[in-house]
Short mmCIF file of all heavy atoms in Angstrom, two decimals:
data_model
loop_
_atom_site.label_atom_id
_atom_site.label_comp_id
_atom_site.label_asym_id
_atom_site.label_seq_id
_atom_site.Cartn_x
_atom_site.Cartn_y
_atom_site.Cartn_z
N PHE A 49 -12.63 150.08 58.66
CA PHE A 49 -12.34 148.76 59.33
C PHE A 49 -11.99 149.08 60.88
O PHE A 49 -11.53 150.08 61.17
CB PHE A 49 -10.99 148.16 58.78
CG PHE A 49 -11.28 147.63 57.39
CD1 PHE A 49 -10.71 148.36 56.33
CD2 PHE A 49 -11.97 146.54 57.15
CE1 PHE A 49 -10.92 147.97 55.07
CE2 PHE A 49 -12.08 146.07 55.84
CZ PHE A 49 -11.60 146.89 54.73
N TRP A 50 -12.54 148.18 61.72
CA TRP A 50 -12.38 148.28 63.13
C TRP A 50 -11.32 147.34 63.56
O TRP A 50 -11.44 146.13 63.37
CB TRP A 50 -13.68 148.06 63.85
CG TRP A 50 -14.73 148.92 63.42
CD1 TRP A 50 -15.60 148.88 62.29
CD2 TRP A 50 -15.11 150.21 64.07
NE1 TRP A 50 -16.44 149.86 62.32
CE2 TRP A 50 -16.18 150.76 63.34
CE3 TRP A 50 -14.63 150.92 65.18
CZ2 TRP A 50 -16.86 151.96 63.71
CZ3 TRP A 50 -15.21 152.02 65.60
CH2 TRP A 50 -16.35 152.64 64.83
N GLU A 51 -10.27 147.68 64.22
CA GLU A 51 -9.20 146.89 64.72
C GLU A 51 -9.52 146.26 66.12
O GLU A 51 -9.84 147.11 67.02
CB GLU A 51 -7.94 147.69 64.77
CG GLU A 51 -6.65 146.85 64.93
CD GLU A 51 -6.32 145.91 63.78
OE1 GLU A 51 -6.86 145.99 62.70
OE2 GLU A 51 -5.48 144.97 64.12
N ALA A 52 -9.37 144.98 66.21
CA ALA A 52 -9.49 144.31 67.46
C ALA A 52 -10.74 144.69 68.07
O ALA A 52 -11.92 144.55 67.49
CB ALA A 52 -8.35 144.58 68.42
N SER A 53 -10.87 145.15 69.40
CA SER A 53 -12.16 145.38 70.13
C SER A 53 -12.64 146.88 69.97
O SER A 53 -13.53 147.23 70.69
CB SER A 53 -11.88 145.13 71.55
OG SER A 53 -10.96 146.05 72.15
N SER A 54 -12.08 147.59 69.02
CA SER A 54 -12.47 149.05 68.85
C SER A 54 -13.90 149.25 68.60
O SER A 54 -14.55 150.20 69.14
CB SER A 54 -11.52 149.68 67.88
OG SER A 54 -11.67 149.13 66.59
N LYS A 55 -14.50 148.35 67.82
CA LYS A 55 -15.97 148.54 67.51
C LYS A 55 -16.68 148.28 68.75
O LYS A 55 -17.66 149.01 68.99
CB LYS A 55 -16.39 147.69 66.29
CG LYS A 55 -17.81 148.02 65.88
CD LYS A 55 -18.25 147.22 64.66
CE LYS A 55 -19.57 147.70 64.20
NZ LYS A 55 -19.93 147.12 62.90
N LYS A 56 -16.52 147.20 69.47
CA LYS A 56 -17.27 146.87 70.70
C LYS A 56 -17.05 148.00 71.65
O LYS A 56 -18.00 148.44 72.33
CB LYS A 56 -16.68 145.55 71.24
CG LYS A 56 -17.37 145.10 72.50
CD LYS A 56 -16.83 143.79 73.16
CE LYS A 56 -15.58 143.98 73.85
NZ LYS A 56 -15.67 144.72 75.03
N ASP A 57 -15.87 148.46 71.86
CA ASP A 57 -15.66 149.58 72.79
C ASP A 57 -16.36 150.87 72.34
O ASP A 57 -16.98 151.54 73.16
CB ASP A 57 -14.14 149.90 72.92
CG ASP A 57 -13.35 148.65 73.44
OD1 ASP A 57 -13.97 147.79 74.09
OD2 ASP A 57 -12.13 148.57 73.12
N PHE A 58 -16.38 151.10 70.98
CA PHE A 58 -16.99 152.30 70.52
C PHE A 58 -18.58 152.28 70.76
O PHE A 58 -19.22 153.17 71.08
CB PHE A 58 -16.77 152.46 69.06
CG PHE A 58 -17.33 153.59 68.35
CD1 PHE A 58 -16.72 154.82 68.38
CD2 PHE A 58 -18.59 153.62 67.66
CE1 PHE A 58 -17.16 155.95 67.65
CE2 PHE A 58 -19.15 154.71 67.00
CZ PHE A 58 -18.33 155.91 67.06
N LYS A 59 -19.17 150.98 70.65
CA LYS A 59 -20.56 150.86 70.81
C LYS A 59 -20.98 151.06 72.27
O LYS A 59 -22.12 151.11 72.62
CB LYS A 59 -20.98 149.48 70.34
CG LYS A 59 -21.01 149.30 68.80
CD LYS A 59 -22.03 150.11 68.18
CE LYS A 59 -22.11 149.78 66.74
NZ LYS A 59 -23.21 150.63 66.16
N GLU A 60 -19.98 151.07 73.24
CA GLU A 60 -20.36 151.28 74.65
C GLU A 60 -20.41 152.82 74.95
O GLU A 60 -20.72 153.18 76.05
CB GLU A 60 -19.31 150.53 75.52
CG GLU A 60 -19.43 149.06 75.39
CD GLU A 60 -18.36 148.38 76.27
OE1 GLU A 60 -17.58 149.00 76.97
OE2 GLU A 60 -18.27 147.16 76.14
N PHE A 61 -19.88 153.66 74.05
CA PHE A 61 -20.03 155.08 74.25
C PHE A 61 -21.57 155.52 74.35
O PHE A 61 -22.40 154.87 73.56
CB PHE A 61 -19.31 155.77 73.06
CG PHE A 61 -17.90 155.71 72.96
CD1 PHE A 61 -17.17 156.34 72.00
CD2 PHE A 61 -17.15 155.02 73.93
CE1 PHE A 61 -15.74 156.22 71.96
CE2 PHE A 61 -15.79 154.84 73.94
CZ PHE A 61 -15.04 155.49 72.90
N PRO A 62 -21.84 156.66 74.90
CA PRO A 62 -23.21 157.19 74.82
C PRO A 62 -23.54 157.48 73.32
O PRO A 62 -22.68 157.73 72.46
CB PRO A 62 -23.08 158.54 75.55
CG PRO A 62 -21.92 158.36 76.45
CD PRO A 62 -20.92 157.45 75.70
N VAL A 63 -24.80 157.26 73.01
CA VAL A 63 -25.32 157.43 71.65
C VAL A 63 -24.88 158.78 71.08
O VAL A 63 -24.51 158.83 69.85
CB VAL A 63 -26.86 157.12 71.59
CG1 VAL A 63 -27.41 157.43 70.30
CG2 VAL A 63 -27.16 155.79 72.03
N ALA A 64 -24.99 159.81 71.81
CA ALA A 64 -24.69 161.20 71.29
C ALA A 64 -23.24 161.14 70.84
O ALA A 64 -22.82 161.79 69.81
CB ALA A 64 -25.00 162.20 72.31
N VAL A 65 -22.37 160.55 71.58
CA VAL A 65 -20.93 160.53 71.25
C VAL A 65 -20.69 159.58 70.01
O VAL A 65 -20.00 160.01 69.10
CB VAL A 65 -20.06 159.97 72.44
CG1 VAL A 65 -18.59 159.84 72.10
CG2 VAL A 65 -20.13 160.99 73.66
N GLN A 66 -21.34 158.50 69.99
CA GLN A 66 -21.30 157.68 68.79
C GLN A 66 -21.71 158.38 67.48
O GLN A 66 -21.04 158.22 66.47
CB GLN A 66 -22.23 156.48 68.95
CG GLN A 66 -21.72 155.39 69.96
CD GLN A 66 -22.49 154.23 70.01
OE1 GLN A 66 -23.03 153.71 68.96
NE2 GLN A 66 -22.91 153.78 71.19
N LYS A 67 -22.77 159.18 67.62
CA LYS A 67 -23.21 159.98 66.37
C LYS A 67 -22.21 160.91 66.02
O LYS A 67 -21.85 161.09 64.76
CB LYS A 67 -24.57 160.56 66.72
CG LYS A 67 -25.78 159.71 66.77
CD LYS A 67 -27.06 160.31 67.04
CE LYS A 67 -28.23 159.40 67.04
NZ LYS A 67 -29.50 160.04 67.25
N ASP A 68 -21.74 161.73 66.89
CA ASP A 68 -20.71 162.79 66.66
C ASP A 68 -19.41 162.16 66.07
O ASP A 68 -18.93 162.57 65.01
CB ASP A 68 -20.40 163.63 67.87
CG ASP A 68 -21.56 164.55 68.29
OD1 ASP A 68 -22.46 164.74 67.53
OD2 ASP A 68 -21.47 165.03 69.41
N MET A 69 -18.96 161.15 66.67
CA MET A 69 -17.71 160.51 66.11
C MET A 69 -18.03 159.72 64.88
O MET A 69 -17.18 159.70 63.94
CB MET A 69 -17.18 159.56 67.15
CG MET A 69 -16.51 160.26 68.33
SD MET A 69 -15.59 159.13 69.40
CE MET A 69 -14.87 160.13 70.54
N GLY A 70 -19.23 159.27 64.77
CA GLY A 70 -19.57 158.55 63.49
C GLY A 70 -19.59 159.40 62.29
O GLY A 70 -19.09 159.09 61.22
N VAL A 71 -20.16 160.74 62.48
CA VAL A 71 -20.03 161.65 61.31
C VAL A 71 -18.58 161.98 60.98
O VAL A 71 -18.28 162.13 59.79
CB VAL A 71 -20.80 162.99 61.76
CG1 VAL A 71 -20.53 164.02 60.71
CG2 VAL A 71 -22.24 162.62 61.89
N ALA A 72 -17.71 162.18 62.00
CA ALA A 72 -16.40 162.40 61.81
C ALA A 72 -15.64 161.29 61.09
O ALA A 72 -14.83 161.54 60.12
CB ALA A 72 -15.60 162.79 63.05
N LEU A 73 -15.99 160.10 61.34
CA LEU A 73 -15.41 158.91 60.71
C LEU A 73 -15.94 158.89 59.24
O LEU A 73 -15.22 158.48 58.27
CB LEU A 73 -15.80 157.53 61.43
CG LEU A 73 -14.89 157.52 62.81
CD1 LEU A 73 -15.53 156.20 63.50
CD2 LEU A 73 -13.44 157.36 62.51
N PHE A 74 -17.26 159.21 59.03
CA PHE A 74 -17.73 159.26 57.68
C PHE A 74 -17.02 160.29 56.77
O PHE A 74 -16.70 160.05 55.66
CB PHE A 74 -19.24 159.54 57.74
CG PHE A 74 -19.87 159.50 56.28
CD1 PHE A 74 -20.07 158.41 55.74
CD2 PHE A 74 -20.32 160.74 55.83
CE1 PHE A 74 -20.76 158.45 54.43
CE2 PHE A 74 -20.88 160.77 54.56
CZ PHE A 74 -21.12 159.63 53.87
N ILE A 75 -16.73 161.41 57.44
CA ILE A 75 -16.00 162.49 56.71
C ILE A 75 -14.64 161.94 56.26
O ILE A 75 -14.19 162.29 55.22
CB ILE A 75 -15.96 163.76 57.59
CG1 ILE A 75 -17.25 164.42 57.64
CG2 ILE A 75 -15.02 164.81 56.98
CD1 ILE A 75 -17.46 165.43 58.66
#
Side-chain angles (χ1 to χ4, degrees):
F49 295 102
W50 300 86
E51 189 68 13
S53 66
S54 60
K55 185 172 186 177
K56 180 182 81 67
D57 299 334
F58 184 86
K59 290 292 190 179
E60 293 176 6
F61 290 179
V63 173
V65 174
Q66 289 181 44
K67 286 181 179 182
D68 289 345
M69 287 187 176
V71 168
L73 291 170
F74 181 75
I75 291 169

